[in-house]
Amino acid sequence: MVPTAMNDRKYSTMDSEKGDAMPIRPCRPRNRPLVTGFAVVALCYLLWSATSRYNVFHHICGIHTVTPVMVNQERALVPLEAHIMSKCPDAKDCLRMMVLPTMQRVIDKVNFTLSFIGTPTDNDGVECKHGPAECMGNIIELCAATQYPDPKTYLGFTFCMTQDYKDIPQLSLIQDCALEHGMDFEKLNECALKDDGGFGIELLRDSVRRSTAAGVTKSCTVRLNEEIYCVRDDGEWKDCPHGPGVNDLVLAVEELYQSGTKV
């Protein structure tokens, strides 16, 4: 994040003029220095009020000019999202070849979301392509993102799990990946089992609905700025008009970030 930079303002004071004792002179009409002083102050205040609403202004009272005040505004983060299935080999390739190396370079410029693909059922449940074991794996990885929201942490955990996707959701795999990435296994387990499993199911249902609303059906689908950027399916890159290279995605993120709305 880029903090607001404010230039110091220096206000000068006028030294009082000191002089020797003045000789007695005939009375003359008195000037009104206090009245004049108040008039100057009032004029300065009015001018300041008229200009202070802007980010850059100049102090025009007196002989000094205040350095312009520049207010830096933080740019909006670029939406970047990966839609996966925890037991899908294409998810493993997608994370390894595109998502993780890209995040290493632009993590401070994106708002990253990891979403899961499935089929909502009539009873408010979710059906997963690779069976109930995949649904459980999805829930564990969603719990990791919920309990440890830093993408560097939960993405590392998810990739660790995906490396051995055939073993998901074996307890030993979850424990090993949790330990490797500094997570408390008990926190993940409590999240998955909270409310007799209802909390985890709700996490998965909301994530699947998000993917469905975005029109995503294939794992792995990468979306940039809420539009499909590239798809990894059946061991191949598809629907990648800008190419599947990491540099291409990084450049696309940088361009959106630089041209994006400031907040």
Side-chain angles (χ1 to χ4, degrees):
M1 305 297 165
V2 181
T4 303
M6 300 290 293
N7 294 328
D8 293 338
R9 306 175 190 172
K10 297 182 179 178
Y11 295 91
S12 62
T13 58
M14 299 185 65
D15 295 331
S16 300
E17 295 183 358
K18 298 180 180 179
D20 298 328
M22 298 294 293
I24 298 176
R25 295 180 179 177
C27 294
R28 296 181 181 178
R30 292 182 178 180
N31 293 325
R32 299 181 180 270
L34 288 178
V35 174
T36 304
F38 281 124
V40 171
V41 171
L43 175 61
C44 291
Y45 175 78
L46 290 174
L47 291 172
W48 178 83
S49 298
T51 58
S52 62
R53 71 187 64 181
Y54 300 103
N55 291 331
V56 181
F57 68 91
H58 294 281
H59 184 194
I60 59 174
C61 299
I63 61 174
H64 297 281
T65 300
V66 175
T67 303
V69 177
M70 305 302 295
V71 177
N72 293 326
Q73 292 179 307
E74 186 178 344
R75 294 184 183 277
L77 298 177
V78 179
L80 179 63
E81 187 166 5
H83 302 258
I84 67 171
M85 302 174 187
S86 62
K87 288 179 73 70
C88 175
D90 289 312
K92 171 184 174 180
D93 294 340
C94 182
L95 292 175
R96 177 178 60 85
M97 300 170 67
M98 176 179 283
V99 176
L100 290 178
T102 297
M103 286 293 288
Q104 288 175 347
R105 296 169 59 178
V106 298
I107 192 170
D108 59 335
K109 297 182 176 68
V110 300
N111 179 19
F112 183 79
T113 305
L114 183 66
S115 297
F116 290 83
I117 300 169
T119 304
T121 61
D122 294 336
N123 60 351
D124 286 335
V126 174
E127 183 178 298
C128 297
K129 181 177 181 179
H130 301 97
E134 180 171 76
C135 284
M136 193 64 219
N138 294 348
I139 289 173
I140 289 294
E141 292 173 5
L142 281 168
C143 279
T146 301
Q147 299 298 316
Y148 299 89
D150 185 346
K152 294 191 297 293
T153 302
Y154 75 78
L155 265 180
F157 172 83
T158 299
F159 182 62
C160 177
M161 295 272 288
T162 307
Q163 289 285 83
D164 296 300
Y165 65 89
K166 292 181 180 179
D167 297 332
I168 292 174
Q170 288 184 9
L171 182 62
S172 59
L173 175 62
I174 300 172
Q175 289 175 328
D176 289 345
C177 289
L179 179 63
E180 181 177 331
H181 293 278
M183 294 182 173
D184 184 348
F185 168 76
E186 290 304 324
K187 289 182 66 173
L188 300 180
N189 194 46
E190 289 173 5
C191 171
L193 300 179
K194 184 178 179 181
D195 298 333
D196 294 326
F199 181 76
I201 289 293
E202 184 177 358
L203 287 178
L204 180 57
R205 183 170 56 244
D206 290 345
S207 185
V208 165
R209 286 174 175 171
R210 178 182 176 89
S211 295
T212 301
V216 173
T217 59
K218 296 179 180 179
S219 171
C220 162
T221 297
V222 176
R223 293 200 307 143
L224 177 64
N225 204 27
E226 300 183 355
E227 295 182 357
I228 293 178
Y229 179 85
C230 199
V231 176
R232 180 76 176 181
D233 184 38
D234 291 333
E236 298 179 355
W237 293 108
K238 303 176 181 179
D239 301 323
C240 308
H242 303 286
V246 172
N247 285 338
D248 297 322
L249 180 53
V250 169
L251 288 174
V253 169
E254 292 281 2
E255 182 177 352
L256 286 170
Y257 181 76
Q258 294 300 329
S259 62
T261 304
K262 295 182 180 180
V263 294

